[in-house]
Amino acid sequence: MTEERSMSGTVGGGRVLGYGALAGLLLTIPLVAIFWLADAFLGTPFVPFDVLDWAARNMPGGLITFAIDTMVSIITALQLGETSTAAKAAEQLMGIAGMVISGVVVGAVFYHLARRRSAKRLSFQAGLIPGLVLGLPVALLSNDVNFSALTAPLVNFLWIVVGFAAWGLALATMYNRLLASPEPVEEPAAEASVETLDRRSFLVRMGGAAATITVVGAGVGSLLRESGGSATTVRYASSSGGVLPNADASVQPVDGTRPELTPVEKHYRIDISSRPPVLEEETWTLPVTGMVDNPLDLTLADLRSDFRPMDQYLTLSCISNRIGGDLIGTQKWTGFSLQDLLTRAKVQEGAQYLRIFGGDGFHETVDIDLINEDQRIMLAYAWDDQPLPERNGFPLRIYIPDRYGMKQPKWITGIEVVEDYEQGYWVTRGWDEEALMQTTSVIDVVATDQAFMSEGMTFIPVGGIAHAGDRSISKVEVRMDEGDWQEAQLRDPLSDKTWVLWRFDMPFSEGRHRIEVRSVDGEGEPQIESVRGTRPSGATGVHGRNVDLVLEAEAGSEA
Ligand SMILES: Nc1nc2c(c(=O)[nH]1)N[C@H]1C(S)=C(S)[C@@H](COP(=O)(O)O)O[C@H]1N2
Ligand SMILES: [Mo]
């Protein structure tokens, strides 16, 4: 029994690590839940998201792009739903998993080191070591990257440090229960088995407590979150009276083609943070500073009233959108020309660029010559006649024709007029400096259920979109099994900057086929057919679909 007796004295190295990891796990999960609850309740930072955002911002551009690309591949392969939503969720889960793993690792290392030093009980303060080892850097980087907390930076800092310190103290307390030599005892044999039992029941009780805190914290936090944040539904007067500019277009889209105007809540969302920055209309202003004779600081109401509003129907796409991907959408944008703002600010001689900053640390540079040439470059405050949604840039974002989204900051918090060029956020991370939109076309639907007869032949409607920045689309062609390209019908688009809906009534032939689409832009330039990935300049290549064509009981064929 001496062996048994000494259990707590000579627990194997592997088991020490195991206990440390387990204690780390049992304590970190509830800590995450408590951070989650406090965030929902008080608006303190949710640490796991901050750590992930910090990592994403400070990782080399190639690595972060690789990570995003891998994630998009997995989402696409597993068909996890709309890409940008699934990607955000995956990112958030990764942040939580990262924090839990860190807690497990620090727990294991701490137990290992403590055990190597002595078999004795740890002092109460010893737990502050792992607590601060994790807590201090996390508090610092949260301070660096968090912009969504409602509480003051000092409060956030203390809250995070205190949270992790408590975690460390609990870790040390568990250590004493699990691994430290007990006080000398008289009855060695009995003590041993009692202790094993005791250890086990202690862990079970700890597990139960951890689970309770986690469920309550996560549950109440999520409830609070859902009940908060009522959506704004102020409608701006629509200049068009709700009538779409192509209302009398003769070509009708095939059923199953995506909607011509993307419902706002379905529009993709891509940005660099786990959570969008929340800018309040009451406190937000747009400062225009730097090389101007008349520096400005305008409220949202000023922007709406002082500048002549303009509407533009636009298709926005992410440069990371793959051929046939869903990171593309069409909205009616309302705002005003940047030319008007520059006139008002009185840009000085020698100024060359605008530096535009987003509330999340994102930024881009826009050439003033380009703005002077192009009155369509605008600051937008509404989509679909409503204030911009929080996630899509409330209260203000820029639009620059023909460029991918990466050139166009959302959540604008400031404009600085400068002389020198500086690369934007994604440009410094290896993406195309110009980011001009590639011409692309996509098959949305091969509608076997809508087959019809005409002049003794059966046709299957095929439909989709084609888009070419601000260059419009002059031609779309479809082919089957690498046969001849045949011209599709084009529906009049909402504008020359939106996608064009096309349809092609394809002669039916039974069996398995490959159907492909390609297009030509409004300047007569065909889309690039060679296959290139998204990085660095946006994906090119022909979109195709494999379909099994079987005729579904067609009218008349039964009789
Ligand atoms: N402030 C800010 N603006 C931003 C980004 C960002 O991360 N932060 N991402 C850009 C990118 S890469 C794209 S594709 C578009 C996406 O706009 P959406 O989310 O409204 O669809 O926003 C752009 N503007
Ligand atoms: Mo993007």
Side-chain angles (χ1 to χ4, degrees), residues 267-272 360 362 392 397 405 408 410-411:
H267 196 281
Y268 77 92
R269 168 205 162 193
I270 293 287
D271 43 71
I272 58 175
D360 55 351
F362 187 83
N392 302 106
R397 65 186 298 169
Q408 314 190 39
K410 308 190 271 188
W411 305 297

Side-chain angles (χ1 to χ4, degrees), residues 57 84 88 267-273 277 316-321 327-329 333 356-364 383 388-393 396-398 404-413 425-426:
R57 263 159 236 206
S84 61
K88 263 313 159 209
H267 196 281
Y268 77 92
R269 168 205 162 193
I270 293 287
D271 43 71
I272 58 175
S273 306
L316 180 70
S317 169
C318 181
I319 198 163
S320 297
N321 193 35
L327 302 178
I328 185 166
W333 294 48
I356 308 206
F357 301 95
D360 55 351
F362 187 83
H363 56 91
E364 248 301 340
W383 267 12
L388 289 174
E390 238 169 43
R391 53 186 218 122
N392 302 106
L396 194 69
R397 65 186 298 169
I398 192 173
Y404 283 112
M406 59 164 274
K407 300 294 286 183
Q408 314 190 39
K410 308 190 271 188
W411 305 297
I412 294 175
T413 51
Y425 185 92
W426 283 118

Side-chain angles (χ1 to χ4, degrees), residues 49-58 91 145 272-275:
F49 291 175
D50 289 354
V51 175
L52 191 88
D53 289 348
W54 186 87
R57 263 159 236 206
N58 293 288
E91 205 180 298
V145 82
I272 58 175
S273 306
S274 306
R275 287 196 280 205

Side-chain angles (χ1 to χ4, degrees), residues 161-180:
V161 170
V162 166
F164 277 98
W167 172 89
L169 295 176
L171 197 66
T173 309
M174 279 186 77
Y175 176 91
N176 286 341
R177 282 302 297 268
L178 292 169
L179 291 171

Side-chain angles (χ1 to χ4, degrees), residues 58-72:
N58 293 288
M59 257 194 255
L63 189 63
I64 174 81
T65 301
F66 172 77
I68 294 173
D69 223 45
T70 310
M71 196 152 77
V72 173

Side-chain angles (χ1 to χ4, degrees), residues 118-329:
S118 96
K120 295 218 190 67
R121 293 174 64 81
L122 289 171
S123 67
F124 180 70
Q125 311 88 285
L128 290 178
I129 298 169
L132 296 183
V133 160
L134 263 185
L136 277 177
V138 167
L140 286 172
L141 64 84
S142 166
N143 241 3
D144 180 36
V145 82
N146 184 292
F147 46 75
S148 51
L150 303 176
T151 37
L154 182 66
V155 172
N156 299 339
F157 187 89
L158 291 175
W159 165 236
I160 294 171
V161 170
V162 166
F164 277 98
W167 172 89
L169 295 176
L171 197 66
T173 309
M174 279 186 77
Y175 176 91
N176 286 341
R177 282 302 297 268
L178 292 169
L179 291 171
S181 295
E183 304 311 317
V185 278
E186 302 80 39
E187 246 181 296
E191 160 70 15
S193 50
V194 166
E195 206 196 311
T196 317
L197 247 186
D198 184 48
R199 198 183 273 159
R200 198 160 294 154
S201 73
F202 171 66
L203 280 172
V204 169
R205 267 183 291 125
M206 281 304 297
T212 309
I213 296 176
T214 305
V215 169
V216 171
V220 174
S222 302
L223 277 180
L224 279 173
R225 218 172 293 275
E226 251 159 55
S227 61
S230 58
T232 23
T233 47
V234 204
R235 279 216 150 239
Y236 295 136
S238 170
S239 54
S240 54
V243 180
L244 294 178
N246 64 346
D248 50 8
S250 54
V251 175
Q252 290 307 310
V254 179
D255 254 0
T257 308
R258 74 191 71 194
E260 192 159 41
L261 260 183
T262 311
V264 171
E265 67 285 354
K266 291 262 169 63
H267 196 281
Y268 77 92
R269 168 205 162 193
I270 293 287
D271 43 71
I272 58 175
S273 306
S274 306
R275 287 196 280 205
V278 178
L279 306 180
E280 304 288 344
E281 178 163 355
E282 295 76 47
T283 49
W284 179 89
T285 57
L286 176 68
V288 182
T289 58
M291 299 173 68
V292 288
D293 286 336
N294 182 29
L296 304 172
D297 197 24
L298 303 163
T299 66
L300 189 55
D302 295 336
L303 298 182
R304 289 192 203 125
S305 63
D306 296 6
F307 298 94
R308 193 164 40 85
M310 69 182 192
D311 292 336
Q312 303 191 66
Y313 286 89
L314 311 172
T315 295
L316 180 70
S317 169
C318 181
I319 198 163
S320 297
N321 193 35
R322 299 177 175 198
I323 296 298
D326 59 9
L327 302 178
I328 185 166

